[in-house]
Amino acid sequence: MDLVQKIIERAKSNKQRIVLPEATEERTLRAADRVLAEDVADLILIGNPDEIHSLAEQWGLKNIDKATLIDPENNPKSEEYAQLLTELRKKKGMTIEKARELVKNPLYLGCMIIKTEGADGQISGALSTTGDTLRPALQIIKCAPGISCVSGAMLLITDKAQYGEEGILVMGDVAVTPMPDASQLAQIAVCTAQTAKSVAGFEEPRVAMLSFSTKGSASHEVVDKVVEATRLAKEMAPDLQIDGELQADASLVPTVGEKKAPGSKIAGHANVLVVPCLEVGNISYKLVERLGGATALGPILQGIARPVNDLSRGCSVDDIYKMVAITACQAMDAKK
């Protein structure tokens, strides 16, 4: 069974309630129909119910009636949500009038449903920007305890079984924080290891903090940041297997790891790669994908108290379907 199928089976084993706030968008509705048909998750679709039913009929979708439909313009809980949003954001100047408008916005409404424990996660981005997806999540759901920055992990699935976890690696941050400081980089490391467990199913994440230096082979302030981030990550998660700074080859290839970092339990055996900045992560995974033939799955947002994931506006039906399963796996872990 490949990794994607394992993720889907894990989602099916403990169904979570996932919000799709862009429910009248064609790819989203088609993906919802497949999710419901295959019993991957329980779905909450936000949009005008008449329009959703009409579109489902037009596109021959037979399973949409299995979802819970919520009309943002005629929602019996609107005032309750508006009052709560006003309280949550009063220090930022939120008024009840503004809150009443915002809870009609599907992205805000979905996050309010999660905040009041009516759902376990949300996915948007087929129509919305990353900023529009993240803003209500950070304002309403907020970051997980001990975390102050959001990041994005990518699953890299390769045919090189000698690397990572039978050819599978998890890389972060590839999507959100452009230039993390040492504290943020430590958080990214801990969150990426958690994603490796909850989504990729790694029993034992082994985290390499990547740099252009291995164990002092070069001297530079950006190397110092990685060293400090490694120290902070160990403080945050004392049981986490992590080492740095390590070059990429020293992280993945046992013979190189033994030569460059003798005595390291991570060198040559890493299955989680944490890059020093977003620029490196984004470039790296795309090169591995295009030149190395890897399958890149994600990005998977991490660091939010309950999972809220962002899609590319160029996403496919299959992308959305898989992200529902991924979000469900994250939601299970968030409840622990």
Side-chain angles (χ1 to χ4, degrees):
M1 187 185 299
D2 66 18
L3 177 60
V4 172
Q5 194 56 44
K6 286 179 181 178
I7 291 169
I8 292 166
E9 291 304 318
R10 198 176 305 130
K12 289 180 177 181
S13 72
N14 184 359
K15 287 201 302 178
Q16 302 294 298
R17 302 161 298 172
I18 307 301
V19 182
L20 298 178
E22 299 168 327
T24 56
E25 193 276 329
E26 182 173 359
R27 293 162 297 171
T28 301
L29 200 57
R30 288 186 181 278
D33 188 70
R34 182 178 171 192
V35 167
L36 295 165
E38 297 181 14
D39 220 22
V40 175
D42 292 325
L43 295 183
I44 298 170
L45 306 181
I46 298 180
N48 181 282
D50 291 338
E51 183 179 1
I52 291 172
H53 285 303
S54 175
L55 292 171
E57 184 176 356
Q58 177 183 334
W59 295 327
L61 309 179
K62 307 296 186 183
N63 298 281
I64 297 303
D65 284 340
K66 297 178 183 177
T68 298
L69 274 54
I70 296 180
D71 185 350
E73 296 292 336
N74 187 26
N75 176 16
K77 292 190 175 182
S78 282
E79 186 61 23
E80 173 190 336
Y81 292 157
Q83 294 287 347
L84 176 56
L85 182 56
T86 303
E87 180 64 24
L88 290 171
R89 302 288 294 166
K90 64 181 179 181
K91 291 182 181 179
K92 298 294 184 179
M94 180 64 68
T95 65
I96 187 63
E97 292 79 14
K98 177 65 173 175
R100 284 171 178 151
E101 288 302 312
L102 282 176
V103 298
K104 295 178 183 178
N105 178 318
L107 301 178
Y108 275 83
L109 174 54
C111 288
M112 293 304 302
I113 296 169
I114 294 169
K115 184 69 174 179
T116 54
E117 301 186 353
D120 304 305
Q122 176 167 294
I123 303 165
S124 61
L127 294 174
S128 310
T129 65
T130 297
D132 287 342
T133 292
L134 279 175
R135 193 173 302 109
L138 294 176
Q139 291 179 1
I140 297 167
I141 303 171
K142 304 184 186 300
C143 287
I147 303 298
S148 62
C149 76
V150 176
S151 56
M154 188 68 69
L155 306 185
L156 296 175
I157 306 169
T158 80
D159 60 0
K160 307 294 191 293
Q162 68 269 35
Y163 299 133
E165 203 73 12
E166 297 295 319
I168 300 167
L169 295 113
V170 184
M171 178 183 284
D173 173 20
V174 302
V176 183
T177 303
M179 193 61 66
D181 60 24
S183 175
Q184 291 172 322
L185 192 58
Q187 294 173 42
I188 290 167
V190 171
C191 288
T192 306
Q194 193 58 48
T195 296
K197 291 178 70 174
S198 63
V199 178
F202 291 4
E203 291 185 9
E204 188 178 68
R206 299 181 296 276
V207 183
M209 303 293 282
L210 298 187
S211 176
F212 61 83
S213 168
T214 296
K215 298 298 182 179
S217 65
S219 178
H220 194 277
E221 61 185 20
V222 298
V223 177
D224 295 340
K225 179 181 78 169
V226 174
V227 173
E228 176 65 4
T230 305
R231 184 187 70 80
L232 293 172
K234 289 177 180 178
E235 287 184 356
M236 288 180 64
D239 294 333
L240 179 62
Q241 293 200 51
I242 184 170
D243 200 5
E245 86 282 14
L246 296 170
Q247 290 165 289
D249 57 350
S251 300
L252 296 173
V253 184
T255 55
V256 178
E258 288 168 10
K259 179 181 289 187
K260 291 188 174 183
S264 171
K265 294 180 179 180
I266 302 301
H269 305 286
N271 54 20
V272 176
L273 306 178
V274 177
V275 297
C277 66
L278 173 57
E279 186 174 39
V280 173
N282 193 270
I283 292 170
S284 296
Y285 94 75
K286 289 179 179 178
L287 287 176
V288 170
E289 182 181 27
R290 300 300 179 180
L291 298 181
T295 297
L297 188 58
I300 302 162
L301 296 185
Q302 50 191 22
I304 306 170
R306 290 291 183 270
V308 174
N309 275 306
D310 180 39
L311 299 160
S312 164
R313 277 171 282 178
C315 64
S316 67
V317 171
D318 194 53
D319 292 334
I320 302 170
Y321 170 83
K322 291 174 182 174
M323 191 56 76
V324 169
I326 287 169
T327 306
C329 290
Q330 287 180 289
M332 289 180 222
D333 189 66
K335 292 177 180 179
K336 292 179 181 177

